[in-house]
Structures are given as C-alpha cells and as structure tokens.
Amino acid sequence: MSANEFLPWVRRAAAPSARAGMPAPVAATDANTDSPHGLQRRTFIQLLGIGGLVIAFGPGGARRLDAAEPMPATAANPWSPHVYVRVDDDGTVTIICHRSEMGQGIRTTMPMIIADEMEADWARCRVEQAVGDPRYGSQNTDGSTSIRDFLHKYREAGATTRALLEAAAASQWNVAVAEVFARQHEVVHRPTARTKPFGELVATARTIAMPAAASVRIKRPDERRWQGKTMPSIDLVPMTTGTAVYGADVTLPGMKVAAIARPPVWGGKVVSVDDGEARKVPGVERIVRIPETPIPGAFFPLGGVAVIAKNTWAALRGRDALKITWDAGPNGTHGSKSYRSTLEASVRAPGKPGRTNGDAAAALAAAARKVSAEYHVPYLSHAQMEPLAAVARVQDGKVEAWAPTQSPNDARNTIAEYLKVDAANVTVHVTLLGGAFGRKSKPDFICEAAFLAREIGAPVRVQWSREDDMRHSYYHAVAAHRLEAALDAAGKVTAWLHRSAYPSISATFAPNVAGPTPDELTNGASDVPWDVPNMSVEACPAVAHARIGWYRSVNAIHHGFAIGSFVDELARAAGTDPAAFLLDLIGPDRKVDLSKAGLVGPGETYYGAPWGDHPLDTARARRVVESVKQRSGWSTPLPRGRGRGIAVHRSFLSYVAMVVEVEVNPDGTVLVPRATVAVDAGFVANPDRARSQMEGALIMAMSNTLHSGITFAEGRVEQSNYGDYRVARMRASPHVVDVHIIESEALPGGIGEPGVPPAGAAIANAIFAATGVRVRELPVGRQLDGWETKVAAG
C-alpha cells in the first residue's frame, strides 16, 4: 500500500462509528483540537498501531471482533427474557454487560458464559455496555467480583433463555418439550431432526411464562462449548487500532473543557483567587469555583477553582495562570517521615485483636528462640495509564455523563446526591477504561463534570492531567507491620504475633476512624493458612491524613509482603529450605471455617460471600506451593547475583503461589528473568484472561516493590509523574511467566487481585537469595547500591 493509499485508509479507520451502549462521539476532528496541525491523539495512535488487519480466531473460525462497527438495526420491541439478554426477531442476540472493561476481559467472558448456556452462535451475538442502573445488580467492577459473584447468574440467564426457546419450538411443533434441544442458534426436534432458528421462535417465546429458577437446567461441564476455555477479546481490534472509545474520546456539540486547581492538602480550601492572568489566556471562557467538601468527603469532589475553556491546552494554561492562596487545613503538617515513626511506635504496642488462637504472648515469653521483624510499605498511587476524564451534560433537569467508571450505579447515585437531584434523572454511560485498579470506582471526577455542566449550561469535559491524578488521588494506605514468632528446637513455629498499623479506608467515609478494623485484617492477615497453635493478629491505631481508597489487592498488598517476607526470614533462622519450611507451616490438609477460628468480630460475610461457602482449605494452599516449587526448578543452582524467592497468599477467596527469579546487577538494578505462578481460583471461566491477570499482577507488584512510592511533606504529595513515581520498565519485565491454573469446579474466587500480594514477597525473598540484602521497606530503590561490596565485606 502506497502512502497515498495508506493515509486516506487511516482516516477512514479513524472515523467515528456507533458504539453499543453509548452515543457515538461527534467527530475525530472536533473543534477542541489542541494540535496546530489537526493531528488528533486518536489518529496518531492509529498511525502507529494499524499495520495490518487484526483477526481473532474464536469458535466457528476467524472473524473480525470490531466493537466499533455499527450494530445492525434491531426490532422496535426486542424480546428480553432476562435483564442481561435481548433477542431480536431476526435472531440477533444482544448481551448486556453490566461490568466495566479495563483490559481484564469481562466484556468477553460474561457474554460468552451466557451465549454458551443459551446455545447461541457467538458470531450472531452483540455486546452492549450497560448504563448505571440498579436492576443489573452490583456494577462495581472491583474486588475481583465479576465472575465470583455473578457466574451462576450469568449461567442462569443463558439457561433460562434457552429453556424458553426450547418451549417455544415445542409449542410450534406441538410436541413435548423433552423431545427438543437447543444447538448453535437453533432448536432441534430430536425424533425428526427438524430445526427452527432462534429468530423464528421469538414471537412464540414472548408468550411463554418464565420458568421457575429451580427448574432451569445449567449445563454440565462436558456440555460447555466455551466456559473454561480461551476466548479472544471482543475489544482487541478496537484497542489495538485506535478506534476504542475511552473517557477523553467522547465529544458532544458545544462541549467545553475544564481543568481544575484542587486543594493541595486533603481538607484544604481556597482563601483567595486572582484570576486576572488566567482570563487573558486565549480560549479561556470562564472561571468557576467548586465548593470544597469537608473531610472525610467520601466520593465528593475536593473542590477548588475550575478554568473553563474551548480546548484542553487553553484550560491547562489558564489554570497555571491562576494565583491562589490556600488554607492547608488540619492535615497541613502531615509528613511521611514523621508519620512512619508514628506507625512504627503503634505496632510496638498491643492493638485490637483480630484473631486469637491459644496464647501467643505466653508462648513467645517462654520460647527458647524468637524471631522478629518490622516492615514498611509507603502510600501508593493507582498510576493508571489513562488519567481521569469525564463528560457531562445537564438539560431540562436531566444529567447525563460519560466516563471510564468502574461503578456506574454508584456514580449515578453520587451525582444525584451531590447535585441534589433524583437518581432517576441521572444517566451514566460507561466508556472503556485505560486502566483503573480501583481509582475509577470513585466518582469524584464525574461529579466535577456534572457540577460544572450545570453551572455553565453547556456540556463539559473535566480532564485530569497525570500530575492531578498523582497528587489528588485516593491512595493505597501506608502501612507498618511488626511480626514475632517462636521456634521450637525442631524449627517449627509455635507462636505467631502480627501487628498492623495503617489508615483505614473507612476514614474516607466516616470521621474519627483510628486505624484498621478487625474486618480489614481478613484481607490476608488474620486468615492465613498456617498450622500454628498460638496466634495473635492485631490492628493498631493509625489516623488518616490523606484520602485512602482501595487499590488493586487492597490491604493484601502490605499484608502479603510482610507475611511472605517474614516466613522466609523464619526459614533462614531455622536453617530450612524456604519452600519446605512454607509447606511445613501450612501443615496437614484441613478445612477451617474461619468464622469459628478465633476471628474477633467477623463481619456477616467474607469477601461478600457466606463464611461457610469458602472455608480455609489448606490442601489448596499446599497444592499451589508444590506446583510452583516443581515447575520453577526450585532446587537448581543459580549463578552469583541471581536468586529465587517463594511466597503464597490467600486473598479474594483464591490461593496463589509464586516463585520469582531475580537478577541483581552490580549497580543494584533488579531484573526478573522468570516467574512461576500457580493459582487455584475455583472454576476459571476464561483461562487466557486469568493468565494475563497473573502476568499483570506480577508486573504491578514489581512496580510496588522495586520503584513506586508516594510521600507527603507539609500535607502535599511530593511526586507528580512517572519521572518521580517510577513503575517497572520493559527491560526489567519477565521474559517468561509460567502460569499454572489448577483446574476446578469449585466456587469461583477472584482473579484480578490475588496475584499481587505473594509477588511482592517473592521478589524481596529472591533479592535476599541473590544478594544477602534483606528488604523490609518498600520500595527497594537504592537499598541495593553497593551490594557486592557489602557481601564481600561480610
């Protein structure tokens, strides 16, 4: 293809087209372009990314999975046998995905489960993104819940639709329903081999009463076509060719762009504003004050001063020209160095019990040998690739928003509360998410757009910069841990004491919350699978001085790092191979109902599920450890400067073990040539996406462990962008990640989050094996400078 042929083709590929579930953006060449040459970000990506036609190979052969192509016309009143399913008279099946897509593949996995149970032809299915609406059930796409909480509901939706279509065919043929069965978008009459396509059955199916849920037959494992098998992502082509629609890609007629100067300290407020220079910036149209929200604030905006402009560049330049005097408020003295000392002092004193078995204090006091260690993990930012952006329009008392939100119904309700309107008058459309990790489940940025759209009487896109994202986030909690253990003469652990201090997520929603609750300890601290007779897990005080929010894996990140590292220290102290020590610590196979295992004040549910549904199964923990030990070549020697580390962690109802191999260069740079992962998450609906999640979890853990950290000085975040908030680079990423999924029909656990917690400890333990340097504070950063000299000196 010549250049003259290529460029027009790119422009055609870049042209907007209808998207399922949301109005199409107005145009790629919108009036708000910031480029003097008219080159859009979207077109630039396409120029880079479209080198050829991307084809996905799925059931039924090759087909282009282009979610951006126009959907075919549908009947005026399609049949809706279930809230997640519509079937048109021509047989087209539309499956409504009520969860948000951020690369984890839910827009593929959820529909394929329903289509499988329906016996629908995958090539005749379309996926529509749901707006925020309580009728879909929880739409909060975090906590690794999409399959864990909804697998049975998805199966039931497909099976119910199949049953109704089978009943419709039996009615049309005047035969018993037992004589018919659905097969690949048609119903077959078994005795005569007659067939009826789904489309011809819709009119009759509308008239048939809904079957009782108990009578609906879910497929047996041997009947499944796609569940538990790999399915290519329906969003692969749009994502890789620049036609996917993310938050900042939505453009409405007459839309303005807003950049906001927010209080630099949580709880701060504007004292005065001089906006004279800002108003002189070409393209700036208005300056609008956003009221500050008193702390704790929950999901409401921080407040500040918004610059409204014709385009993003003008809005940002105008904001830079504002001269604002701030009152820092009650958190103006918060600093990371002094706060670390506060947390360390907190864990050196008894805390509130979270789990008590036996008498750990007495066993430690009487022990002939004790081991103790303290660990520190800094605040973390989500640092997702796509900064926050939201578009809103307010007309005739109706609020409409478009955003990369993880939780559209929560966004809907929060907008309604913030603007004091009825939630029935608020519609939230969900775009694709360019990463999220928990940040985009908080709708403060969407509320900003809705507030400003109402104030100026025109659609508004609020655009956060990377610096905004880094400095005004809901941070993963800074944490201190102290662990103590007693070892008997044989090196067996006879007592375990674990104290944690970190600001609680609850402090973002309620005043006077002084540290983690015992329930927060069940996120990987008080629910450890250890065979230890005397155990005490305690929560220690920690007052919040910044907005704290959930981040991928939540408290299991620092719980997993501290616990996994301490187990390795115990193994070294006992003179035992760490993998063998870990297996001995897990002990004999047993199932433990954690609600009856010494937990103090357990909540009504465990990760949202009944306690009895997910007992602590130590055989599953043992199995994943044995798997990675065998598959990694654990006992084979490595050259100087290389080492392996092992860790296991249970979180989000799944068991994950990792062996990570590191290579530490003389300058202290840490590379990860290889990692081995085993995961037991019960039934895994889409193994390929599960493997991808484990790979991504490892790389995220590399960032958390080796590089990333948020620090505060005088209440303000000191980092601003990837230059000083470092993440793992391609050179350091593993060449090989061997992910082994334990096949199971057990209730599903989480997949998106459980891979992060053991990875951090495995990396730190591998560093010790390679260098002799014990990592007890994160990030590793400069701790390995001169390690060879230190080792040589003894």
Side-chain angles (χ1 to χ4, degrees):
M1 181 182 288
S2 69
N4 289 335
E5 295 170 315
F6 177 70
L7 290 175
W9 180 76
V10 168
R11 294 189 184 103
R12 287 195 300 274
S17 54
R19 290 277 303 175
M22 70 169 66
V26 170
T29 54
D30 68 86
N32 299 316
T33 178
D34 298 322
S35 168
H37 304 292
L39 180 64
Q40 303 299 302
R41 176 181 71 89
R42 178 64 51 193
T43 306
F44 178 70
I45 292 172
Q46 289 162 342
L47 283 165
L48 291 177
I50 304 180
L53 180 63
V54 180
I55 298 293
F57 290 85
R63 67 187 184 94
R64 180 167 176 162
L65 302 174
D66 192 346
E69 67 185 61
M71 294 295 104
T74 58
N77 184 28
W79 175 49
S80 298
H82 193 280
V83 70
Y84 300 142
V85 182
R86 292 199 307 268
V87 186
D88 294 337
D89 290 329
D90 67 357
T92 298
V93 174
T94 300
I95 299 173
I96 295 89
C97 182
H98 73 306
R99 291 297 178 111
S100 300
E101 178 62 57
M102 58 194 99
Q104 85 281 29
I106 192 59
R107 275 169 46 92
T108 301
T109 303
M110 176 262 204
M112 87 181 194
I113 294 168
I114 293 175
D116 189 341
E117 289 290 344
M118 276 185 67
E119 274 295 319
D121 179 354
W122 186 239
R124 300 190 66 186
C125 295
R126 299 291 182 266
V127 178
E128 179 178 300
Q129 187 67 48
V131 298
D133 194 319
R135 69 193 178 118
Y136 297 116
S138 171
Q139 293 180 266
N140 192 10
T141 313
D142 60 20
S144 296
T145 57
S146 293
I147 300 300
R148 180 160 62 85
D149 286 359
F150 285 90
L151 175 63
H152 183 73
K153 295 173 185 176
Y154 298 154
R155 286 174 168 170
E156 191 175 73
T160 298
T161 306
R162 182 186 75 234
L164 290 166
L165 290 165
E166 289 171 340
S171 175
Q172 289 186 12
W173 284 323
N174 196 27
V175 300
V177 72
E179 295 182 11
V180 306
F181 66 96
R183 182 187 64 196
Q184 280 294 273
H185 231 78
E186 62 184 13
V187 177
V188 181
H189 183 227
R190 190 175 283 105
T192 64
R194 288 178 291 176
T195 63
K196 285 269 188 181
F198 281 1
E200 292 183 15
L201 299 171
V202 168
T204 302
R206 293 175 192 270
T207 68
I208 296 175
M210 190 69 63
S215 70
V216 173
R217 190 183 73 82
I218 306 298
K219 283 186 173 184
R220 301 186 310 270
D222 64 322
E223 296 177 302
R224 298 173 191 153
R225 291 181 184 275
W226 306 314
Q227 298 176 68
K229 302 176 179 66
T230 291
M231 175 70 77
S233 168
I234 67 167
D235 294 301
L236 178 63
V237 169
M239 286 178 174
T240 54
T241 60
T243 57
V245 177
Y246 294 90
D249 296 322
V250 175
T251 304
L252 301 177
M255 188 183 78
K256 310 299 179 183
V257 180
I260 301 170
R262 300 170 184 86
V265 180
W266 185 43
K269 59 185 179 181
V270 175
V271 174
S272 64
V273 182
D274 178 353
D275 59 17
E277 293 301 312
R279 292 182 183 275
K280 296 177 185 178
V281 174
V284 169
E285 296 185 346
R286 288 186 62 177
I287 310 294
V288 178
R289 284 285 304 273
I290 302 177
E292 290 89 0
T293 300
I295 56 176
F299 290 150
F300 281 6
L302 292 169
V305 183
V307 176
I308 313 296
K310 292 180 179 179
N311 55 61
T312 308
W313 179 239
L316 291 171
R317 288 184 62 213
R319 184 183 64 175
D320 291 344
L322 292 171
K323 298 175 183 176
I324 304 175
T325 301
W326 300 99
D327 175 354
N331 295 308
T333 60
H334 178 50
S336 289
K337 290 182 180 179
S338 60
Y339 192 60
R340 174 174 178 169
S341 298
T342 300
L343 294 179
E344 289 172 344
S346 184
V347 297
R348 292 168 188 165
K352 294 182 296 184
R355 181 178 179 181
T356 302
N357 298 115
D359 191 338
L364 283 165
R369 188 174 190 190
K370 291 187 290 187
V371 179
S372 64
E374 293 183 358
Y375 304 90
H376 182 267
V377 176
Y379 292 103
L380 294 171
S381 169
H382 303 83
Q384 72 282 345
M385 189 62 67
E386 176 197 29
L388 301 175
V391 172
R393 174 171 59 197
V394 181
Q395 288 180 335
D396 303 322
K398 306 284 187 181
V399 183
E400 197 169 11
W402 292 257
T405 173
Q406 292 177 251
S407 189
N409 196 45
D410 285 337
R412 177 177 182 250
N413 292 333
T414 305
I415 291 169
E417 184 182 358
Y418 186 61
L419 297 186
K420 296 180 172 57
V421 299
D422 191 326
N425 292 326
V426 180
T427 301
V428 176
H429 302 278
V430 183
T431 67
L432 289 173
L433 286 67
F437 312 119
R439 176 58 182 99
K440 292 173 184 172
S441 60
K442 293 90 170 171
D444 56 322
F445 64 108
I446 313 174
C447 289
E448 290 175 336
F451 175 84
L452 292 173
R454 187 176 68 176
E455 287 295 299
I456 72 169
V460 172
R461 184 181 87 228
V462 167
Q463 182 64 60
W464 288 48
S465 65
R466 175 74 57 207
E467 290 77 11
D468 294 336
D469 230 1
M470 204 69 73
R471 290 173 172 165
H472 303 291
S473 191
Y474 291 78
Y475 300 98
H476 179 262
V478 58
H481 293 264
R482 179 172 177 82
L483 290 102
E484 300 179 18
L487 297 173
D488 65 14
K492 187 174 179 62
V493 179
T494 58
W496 177 278
L497 171 65
H498 182 184
R499 292 179 182 150
S500 305
Y502 47 90
S504 173
I505 291 172
S506 300
T508 300
F509 302 93
N512 305 316
V513 176
T517 63
D519 191 56
E520 287 178 275
L521 298 179
T522 63
N523 187 205
S526 57
D527 54 350
V528 290
W530 308 148
D531 180 25
V532 178
N534 303 290
M535 181 178 292
S536 181
V537 182
E538 304 169 8
C540 301
V543 175
H545 298 287
R547 291 199 298 184
I548 304 300
W550 45 94
Y551 167 90
R552 185 182 188 180
S553 307
V554 203
N555 296 316
I557 293 175
H558 50 82
H559 290 158
F561 166 68
I563 293 168
S565 297
F566 188 60
V567 169
D568 193 75
E569 295 206 45
L570 291 176
R572 306 289 180 172
T576 305
D577 172 76
F581 185 89
L582 184 55
L583 290 168
D584 185 65
L585 185 60
I586 293 170
D589 294 350
R590 61 200 186 280
K591 292 184 179 179
V592 181
D593 183 343
L594 284 165
S595 66
K596 302 173 184 177
L599 294 183
V600 177
E604 294 181 2
T605 60
Y606 182 49
Y607 289 104
W611 284 90
D613 285 359
H614 295 273
L616 179 63
D617 188 340
T618 62
R620 296 173 71 180
R622 170 177 292 276
R623 190 178 301 121
V624 293
V625 171
E626 289 175 338
S627 176
V628 295
K629 180 183 177 184
Q630 185 271 322
R631 296 171 71 93
S632 66
W634 172 257
S635 300
T636 59
L638 291 170
R640 177 181 171 83
R642 297 182 75 153
R644 297 187 187 94
I646 189 170
V648 65
H649 201 78
R650 180 182 191 255
S651 63
F652 300 91
L653 307 177
S654 295
Y655 302 77
V656 180
M658 285 197 188
V659 169
V660 176
E661 182 181 321
V662 303
E663 176 183 345
V664 184
N665 291 341
D667 65 356
T669 299
V670 179
L671 308 178
V672 177
R674 182 182 179 89
T676 308
V677 185
V679 52
D680 184 343
F683 177 76
V684 174
N686 191 333
D688 182 65
R689 303 317 302 160
R691 291 187 182 92
S692 296
Q693 288 290 293
M694 292 298 124
E695 292 165 355
L698 170 63
I699 292 172
M700 175 168 269
M702 288 174 60
S703 296
N704 296 344
T705 305
L706 301 174
H707 306 297
S708 302
I710 289 289
T711 56
F712 283 81
E714 297 183 341
R716 302 181 180 218
V717 173
E718 295 185 294
Q719 290 70 32
S720 62
N721 208 317
Y722 291 131
D724 48 14
Y725 187 86
R726 294 187 58 214
V727 296
R729 298 303 201 261
M730 187 177 294
R731 173 173 175 257
S733 298
H735 295 166
V736 177
V737 181
D738 174 21
V739 179
H740 177 56
I741 299 172
I742 306 295
E743 292 188 9
S744 173
E745 286 292 321
L747 290 173
I751 282 291
E753 298 180 83
V756 177
I763 293 167
N765 296 339
I767 289 172
F768 178 81
T771 67
V773 176
R774 179 60 69 182
V775 175
R776 295 195 181 106
E777 64 175 283
L778 301 183
V780 171
R782 304 297 299 274
Q783 295 177 58
L784 296 175
D785 286 3
W787 68 269
E788 287 188 309
T789 302
K790 295 174 185 176
V791 170

